[in-house]
Amino acid sequence: MQDRTSAKSMKSSCDARPDRAPRPGQNAVVSACHRAPAPRLSLMPRLACRARSSLDDPVVNYPLGSKHPMTAPRKLAAILAADVAGYSRLTGLDEEGTLAQLKAHRRALVAPKIDEHRGRVVKTTGDGLLVEFASVVDALRCAVEVQRGMAERNEDVPADRRMLFRIGINLGDVLIEGEDILGDGVNIAARLEAIAEPGSICISRQAYDQVEGKLALQFRELGFQNLKNIAKPVEVFAISCTSVGQTALPVSAFLSQDIGYCRARDGVRLAYAKVGSGSPLVMTANWFNHLEHDWKSPIRGHILRVLANDHTLFRYDARGNGLSDWEVDELSLDAWVGDLETVLNAVGVDRFALLGISQGCAISIAYAVRHPELVSHLILYGGFALGANRRSAALKERVKAMATLMRLEWGADNPAVRQIFTTQFFPDCPQELSNWFNEMQRLVTSGECAARYLETVSEFDVTELLPKVTVPTLVMHRRGDVRQPIEEGRRMAAGIPGARFVALEGRNHIPLEHEPAAQRFFEEIRLFLGARASE
């Protein structure tokens, strides 16, 4: 009866102006009113101009062309959106077990925390969850306690079976439609969730302004992010949940660094930086460094923050990338070792621990052999003593093919070539991080320099230097590292007298913040150096 009444009203409204022909582009409903037989009018309420609060509410029709605002109720709300990172992969491993696990987490942890902080569950969709709060402080407290609780619940779960939530929080204006809420306020929260690292939280600037100074949390600036289907860039802050419940460290301590420049022996300009306090730790430069961008990096940012909290951290951008000169005549092991010497002379540090990552390991080994009196400890992670070209003919051909593609396509908008490297470096990362790394590679160096870098590093051979290392040495490598096989790390450690070797679980070349291997990485360094633990 409701639909027929609406149709009759609509027909009367249209018949009142039988002399009026539809304008070009006018709603087809008007034209239909002049010519459609009566029985077809029962379909027309679906197209009628109307305002309604839900599918079950009475339909209120307004004549076409009416200036009625047709506004729906609105309110300001703190919106929390959450989902499970890698849920499809988990269900592929064990569909029934994953679903049971998710239900158990929601029942025992998530639902009680939402109730405790006065939230309301708007909807659940598979592994997704949408919750509204009256206060951003309540929303963030709830999110933080959920992530803390999940970390505890995952302690005894194998790394590849852990359920990790991603959470996004936004403060925004929302439309009310029955029990549902709609609009950009909700959409932004959902997009923030999508860019959050597994086990962490991302919040918008609007939300950050409401909690700044009220909660003891460590916030990391991610800058303005272009979120999918959101018209304007959104300023985003990330919360590292490894620090949840701990004393917050000021943002400035991580983002404020002194940057200087010096000249190498051949005139190449090198950029270096100093940050933090404590015993000196020097990081040897390697591929894809950028002194400024690295702080906001979901790949390196967490490593820099922890190391700078424990030490006075010295870093520099290698020739060929970052803030150092890109267009250089010489790329070689000897040139890179010389650059490290130049930077250390410029900063004036006398004795220090030296950390080499990936190809930075070979440079660090060569430096430690040249200057054993300056290096107190040597830390080598994810590296090799013998480059790919010297390991096998097949690897040499692969490097040659990749270098050709890099020269041709590195700077292209299509990231296909860069994606090859991303897959090798981070095979187990969220798509958002993969997209970020693809873009970062293009920004920090040119295609020509990237190709030369690959060719040069592939020719490294410091195997004869290994037995000459006389400083205490720690070697770490991930068991499933796709970029550099763990066998290369073992060979490197075996060649250095008295070196300690530690195998870390996982496949990503660099341990991401949410991975247990990241905490093990920091713990091993602290034990090795005797550094104070971060608070």
Side-chain angles (χ1 to χ4, degrees), residues 91-330:
T91 55
L93 294 172
D94 181 3
E95 184 175 24
E96 292 185 358
T98 298
L99 181 58
Q101 187 181 5
L102 177 59
K103 287 182 177 179
H105 289 320
R106 284 180 173 171
R107 182 172 58 251
L109 174 65
V110 180
K113 290 299 179 184
I114 291 173
D115 290 341
E116 179 182 339
H117 294 285
R118 298 170 289 279
R120 180 182 74 88
V121 176
V122 177
K123 66 176 72 172
T124 58
T125 54
D127 64 313
L129 182 69
L130 184 67
V131 188
E132 70 165 330
F133 295 83
S135 159
V136 179
V137 172
D138 283 344
L140 187 52
R141 278 179 174 154
C142 177
V144 161
E145 291 178 17
V146 166
Q147 295 291 39
R148 285 184 67 188
M150 287 303 299
E152 293 174 0
R153 294 170 72 87
N154 278 324
E155 282 183 355
D156 298 325
V157 179
D160 64 337
R161 298 298 181 102
R162 290 177 179 174
M163 191 164 287
L164 299 169
F165 288 129
R166 302 181 301 178
I167 299 177
I169 296 175
N170 180 47
L171 174 67
D173 195 64
V174 297
L175 293 164
I176 305 170
E177 188 170 281
E179 295 298 314
D180 203 357
I181 52 176
L182 310 167
D184 273 353
V186 176
N187 296 339
I188 290 173
R191 297 309 179 194
L192 290 172
E193 162 228 290
I195 67 171
E197 297 175 22
S200 70
I201 305 163
C202 280
I203 67 174
S204 64
R205 160 61 77 173
Q206 289 83 351
Y208 176 79
D209 287 342
Q210 300 301 312
V211 299
E212 185 182 13
K214 299 176 182 176
L215 297 176
L217 296 172
Q218 175 185 316
F219 294 94
R220 172 163 52 103
E221 294 181 7
L222 299 185
F224 284 91
Q225 301 288 322
N226 292 309
L227 304 179
K228 185 178 179 182
N229 295 333
I230 302 299
K232 297 180 179 180
V234 176
E235 191 173 3
V236 181
F237 295 79
I239 295 105
S240 168
C241 289
T242 58
S243 66
V244 167
Q246 301 171 355
T247 302
L249 297 169
V251 176
S252 59
F254 302 119
L255 301 182
S256 176
Q257 62 180 349
D258 296 326
I259 295 179
Y261 294 89
C262 58
R263 293 282 180 181
R265 292 170 299 188
D266 57 356
V268 172
R269 188 183 69 166
L270 301 171
Y272 62 86
K274 173 185 176 182
V275 64
S277 62
S279 59
L281 174 65
V282 176
M283 286 185 69
T284 304
N286 57 342
W287 207 358
F288 305 142
N289 282 160
H290 194 291
L291 291 178
E292 293 180 334
H293 293 337
D294 286 350
W295 286 102
K296 298 180 180 180
S297 163
I299 294 166
R300 292 193 181 96
H302 61 293
I303 294 176
L304 298 181
R305 290 192 300 276
V306 173
L307 295 180
N309 190 49
D310 285 351
H311 302 277
T312 299
L313 181 64
F314 296 93
R315 300 189 305 134
Y316 63 101
D317 285 338
R319 58 172 64 209
N321 67 183
L323 296 178
S324 295
D325 284 346
W326 286 16
E327 302 300 326
V328 296
D329 293 331
E330 182 183 2

Side-chain angles (χ1 to χ4, degrees), residues 432-500:
E432 293 77 18
L433 189 150
S434 176
N435 294 340
W436 184 93
F437 192 64
N438 283 338
E439 181 63 13
M440 187 273 294
Q441 293 176 80
R442 184 174 67 87
L443 293 176
V444 300
T445 193
S446 65
E448 175 62 28
C449 196
R452 290 178 62 199
Y453 211 114
L454 176 65
E455 292 167 338
T456 303
V457 168
S458 297
E459 293 291 341
F460 277 1
D461 185 355
V462 295
T463 52
E464 292 185 357
L465 297 180
L466 297 179
K468 299 178 181 179
V469 175
T470 58
V471 302
T473 303
L474 170 66
V475 180
M476 292 185 282
H477 212 106
R478 302 199 75 174
R479 293 186 187 279
D481 194 328
V482 176
R483 181 64 187 168
Q484 296 296 339
I486 191 172
E487 289 76 13
E488 298 305 317
R490 292 188 189 279
R491 291 191 186 103
M492 189 166 58
I496 298 175
R500 178 168 180 260

Side-chain angles (χ1 to χ4, degrees), residues 357-527:
I357 295 177
S358 196
Q359 69 271 20
C361 291
I363 299 168
S364 299
I365 290 168
Y367 183 91
V369 171
R370 288 189 192 181
H371 305 283
E373 75 284 359
L374 299 179
V375 180
S376 64
H377 298 76
L378 181 61
I379 305 166
L380 307 173
Y381 171 82
F384 53 91
L386 195 65
N389 284 358
R390 297 178 178 272
R391 296 177 208 163
S392 72
L395 286 176
K396 187 172 184 177
E397 287 301 314
R398 185 180 302 173
V399 168
K400 181 179 179 180
M402 282 304 307
T404 299
L405 289 173
M406 292 164 77
R407 286 186 167 94
L408 293 173
E409 299 292 335
W410 189 261
D413 291 335
N414 186 327
V417 172
R418 301 190 300 275
Q419 178 63 36
I420 296 174
F421 284 91
T422 299
T423 302
Q424 292 177 341
F425 278 101
F426 300 101
D428 296 331
C429 74
Q431 184 60 47
E432 293 77 18
L433 189 150
S434 176
N435 294 340
W436 184 93
F437 192 64
N438 283 338
E439 181 63 13
M440 187 273 294
Q441 293 176 80
R442 184 174 67 87
L443 293 176
V444 300
T445 193
S446 65
E448 175 62 28
C449 196
R452 290 178 62 199
Y453 211 114
L454 176 65
E455 292 167 338
T456 303
V457 168
S458 297
E459 293 291 341
F460 277 1
D461 185 355
V462 295
T463 52
E464 292 185 357
L465 297 180
L466 297 179
K468 299 178 181 179
V469 175
T470 58
V471 302
T473 303
L474 170 66
V475 180
M476 292 185 282
H477 212 106
R478 302 199 75 174
R479 293 186 187 279
D481 194 328
V482 176
R483 181 64 187 168
Q484 296 296 339
I486 191 172
E487 289 76 13
E488 298 305 317
R490 292 188 189 279
R491 291 191 186 103
M492 189 166 58
I496 298 175
R500 178 168 180 260
F501 181 79
V502 176
L504 305 180
E505 298 299 328
R507 302 199 305 158
N508 292 323
H509 188 54
I510 303 295
L512 303 180
E513 187 170 11
H514 70 276
E515 294 184 290
Q519 295 308 308
R520 178 80 185 280
F521 173 83
F522 299 132
E523 289 169 2
E524 292 293 344
I525 290 177
R526 287 176 181 137
L527 288 171

